[in-house]
Amino acid sequence: MSYQTTKEHELLREKVREFAEREIKPIAFSLDVKSEFPTQVVKNMGKLGIMGLPYEKKYGGAGTDVLSYAIAVEELSRVDGGVGVILSAHTSLGTYPIAAFGSEEQKKKYLPGLCSGELIGAFGLTEPNAGSDAGGTETTAEDMGDYYLLNGNKIFITNGGEADVYVIFALTTPNIGTRGISALILEKGMEGFSFGDHYDKLGIRSSATCELIFNNVKVPKANLLGKEGQGFKIAMATLDGGRIGIAAQALGIAQGAFEEAVEYSKEREQFGKPIAAQQAIAFKIADMATKLRCARMLVYSAAELKEAHAPYGMESAMAKQYASDVALEITSDALQIFGGNGYLKGMPVERMYRDARITPIYEGTNEIQRVVIAAHILGKISRGETAAVKKSKGPETGERKRMIITEGTLKEKIDLLVANLQKDGYDFSVGIPMDTPIVAAERVVSAGQGIGSKENMKLVEDLAKAAGAAIGSSRPVAETLGYLPLDRYVGMSGQKFKGNLYIACGISGALQHLKGIKNASTIVAINKDPNARIFKNCDYGIVGDVNEVLPALTKALDTGEKKPAPPMKKIKRAVAKKHTPSRKLYLCNGCGYEYDVLLGDEEGDVRPGTEFKDLPKEWVCPHCGEAADNFIEIEV
């Protein structure tokens, strides 16, 4: 690589740094405290001409190079890591897939707006069961002829809710692993496309991060990016480049913390001299500077390789892994130099310390980066045994009956639900106080945002009284809406419910909430959205408006004054019986070799799970060379 940036690069750095110092630095503390997306700042970034730096001028881009983009992310992150990742996610994740894989029509439609900053881009790959392992994707896009019907959800989406254009990955052909994933372009405002709550994060709080929810979204066929089945390839190519952006973000955060520490070390005096004169501090600063230079060389080198269209996957992984690792070390050392002052809210190094912590996690954890680097060096190595077919993960709350009651009038549905609960062993003539701690409660009736206004909490309270249960809620109901005290919210980060009956009213089923109720014996879900994740994680469910269902259920469970409930006896979870399906083997007529779909043929480069009918035409028996059409199908 060139060890000296060009004059153009440094002029860009100067321009972006001046912008960051003038428009971002004065409000960085406020953005962090309020967890506020800097809408006007992003618009001004568009006017500055940095939202489409590496893209062709004919599509509205600046026509510069990848290194220029990396420098821009670095300089923004030097002042605020959240603003830096807004640009990174927009440019390398939301825009790149369209620029690299889009049709001419798609490029003309979307790139001018994305490059000018009139549109913001985002990328949706991560799901509750698909993070580092994209093969766990469960969002589906069913071919309906003229359009795809999209259902599912994505989590931890940077720029989520604020972006206008989203590149989304979904299964168009289930049960064939990553070969069944396709990429689709979604637009904000499409019917059925909504957003979950914005996550309350440790750092990069000026960046919007939320859940994307797809409920029968009709996506035109014209919005298919590339071809069906190319989604995984598009995602991996995008992430290779995206890692340069995150590496630049980590570098910028570390650079900002380093500069703060150097300045403070010259001003702060102890024992009659600046602490910079103390060898312990001076050596720390020397080490920080060395790490920064190493990280910058890796980041810039990866950017130059990408710009030259040379292989850069390993180098981008190295840059991301190293830059983010040392960002943690440098921000920690910077905070240490500030001492007690650095630990106070409002100090830039305290914010930078928190901002840096995300960089080894997203865009592929640093553990995954090391896997990528090792694979480039070592190539494919046999594991010594044939891997089993990957099974799709079950519900977050474990195996459940998933009896969604859909037939009959509302009264008939309620009666069937109550009858089943009584059959499972629930006695509604007894009850516990509504303020019983969640962790000690035998029953809980819990409110989600789907209950609507605060007045509707009366419906939840009435149901809790009729069911003889304590009252709880999802996190947003307690934290954001303030309907209940914080100690009443149930979830992975709140109170864990380990009792018997949990009635979820208007709760969609966010992952962190489901983790908090996974040990419940029975989960009842009431929600108007038939595609809500809670229905995949419940024993009984009624699809309907809480304003209608809750009063009817309250009436059905009301036995008058409740007798005090006896000490809780854990009810055994009622799980639907599993049926083990038969499966087929294929027997070679020549030698008796058995082809098992579950095992595949590793030596023949046939992956586990490959159906016999999908075997390559050239495939033959690995033992005797007999053709596939001379195999006999048997059932076991």
Side-chain angles (χ1 to χ4, degrees), residues 20 566 591:
C591 67

Side-chain angles (χ1 to χ4, degrees), residues 188-502:
K188 187 177 185 179
M190 282 183 166
E191 187 175 353
F193 178 18
S194 60
F195 306 102
D197 289 315
H198 284 269
Y199 300 112
D200 190 10
K201 307 185 296 292
L202 173 70
I204 57 165
R205 291 169 59 82
S206 58
S207 161
T209 313
C210 78
E211 178 183 13
L212 312 183
I213 302 168
F214 314 119
N215 184 3
N216 290 330
V217 183
K218 292 182 179 180
V219 185
K221 283 287 184 71
N223 286 35
L224 175 67
L225 191 58
K227 297 179 181 178
E228 277 198 11
Q230 287 187 336
F232 183 73
K233 169 189 168 184
I234 292 171
M236 294 304 103
T238 301
L239 290 175
D240 277 345
R243 288 166 185 151
I244 295 173
I246 299 307
Q249 180 202 15
L251 173 62
I253 295 169
Q255 181 69 40
F258 171 74
E259 292 175 7
E260 292 281 342
V262 169
E263 183 179 353
Y264 183 79
S265 70
K266 292 177 180 178
E267 297 173 351
R268 170 69 167 164
E269 291 190 2
Q270 289 287 279
F271 305 106
K273 58 184 178 181
I275 60 173
Q278 302 288 348
Q279 191 178 69
I281 301 300
F283 280 12
K284 195 182 289 291
I285 288 172
D287 287 343
M288 292 161 74
T290 303
K291 291 171 184 175
L292 274 172
R293 183 166 176 79
C294 291
R296 185 166 283 108
M297 293 298 175
L298 281 170
V299 177
Y300 290 8
S301 171
E304 287 191 350
L305 286 171
K306 184 182 180 190
E307 184 63 31
H309 302 290
Y312 70 95
M314 179 177 75
E315 289 78 7
S316 68
M318 287 177 169
K320 192 271 183 184
Q321 174 253 306
Y322 183 79
S324 57
D325 278 350
V326 300
L328 295 185
E329 297 169 10
I330 291 169
T331 53
S332 178
D333 285 343
L335 196 150
Q336 187 71 19
I337 288 170
F338 270 81
N341 287 326
Y343 201 66
L344 299 177
K345 281 283 185 185
M347 297 298 289
V349 291
E350 181 269 340
R351 173 169 46 81
M352 293 167 179
Y353 180 78
R354 288 185 285 109
D355 285 353
R357 189 61 191 88
I358 187 61
T359 60
I361 296 174
Y362 60 8
E363 293 271 356
T365 64
N366 279 7
E367 290 75 14
I368 291 298
Q369 303 313 314
R370 289 173 169 86
V371 170
V372 171
I373 295 164
H376 276 278
I377 297 169
L378 301 173
K380 184 179 178 181
I381 298 177
S382 173
R383 298 180 183 178
E385 59 181 31
T386 304
V389 175
K390 181 175 178 177
K391 297 180 180 178
S392 60
K393 220 175 166 188
E396 285 82 359
T397 56
E399 288 300 321
R400 294 284 168 180
K401 292 177 72 171
R402 294 178 64 182
M403 179 180 173
I404 311 303
I405 304 171
T406 58
E407 300 296 325
T409 64
L410 177 58
K411 183 179 185 307
E412 289 170 338
K413 293 176 184 177
I414 295 292
D415 289 345
L416 180 57
L417 170 62
V418 174
N420 274 283
L421 290 174
Q422 290 172 337
K423 184 179 177 181
D424 290 342
Y426 292 101
D427 177 5
F428 294 106
S429 67
V430 300
I432 60 175
M434 281 199 291
D435 61 353
T436 302
I438 300 293
V439 294
E442 192 257 342
R443 305 171 191 176
V444 166
V445 172
S446 209
Q449 289 188 101
I451 65 164
S453 63
K454 190 172 184 179
E455 289 73 24
N456 287 341
M457 281 299 295
K458 180 69 165 56
L459 301 177
V460 179
E461 292 167 4
D462 289 346
L463 178 57
K465 184 177 179 181
I471 193 165
S473 75
S474 63
R475 178 171 178 165
V477 168
E479 184 179 53
T480 307
L481 299 178
Y483 291 176
L484 287 175
L486 284 174
D487 64 358
R488 302 311 297 180
Y489 88 74
V490 184
M492 183 166 57
S493 59
Q495 307 299 315
K496 310 291 193 303
F497 176 71
K498 299 179 181 179
N500 287 326
L501 179 60
Y502 190 82

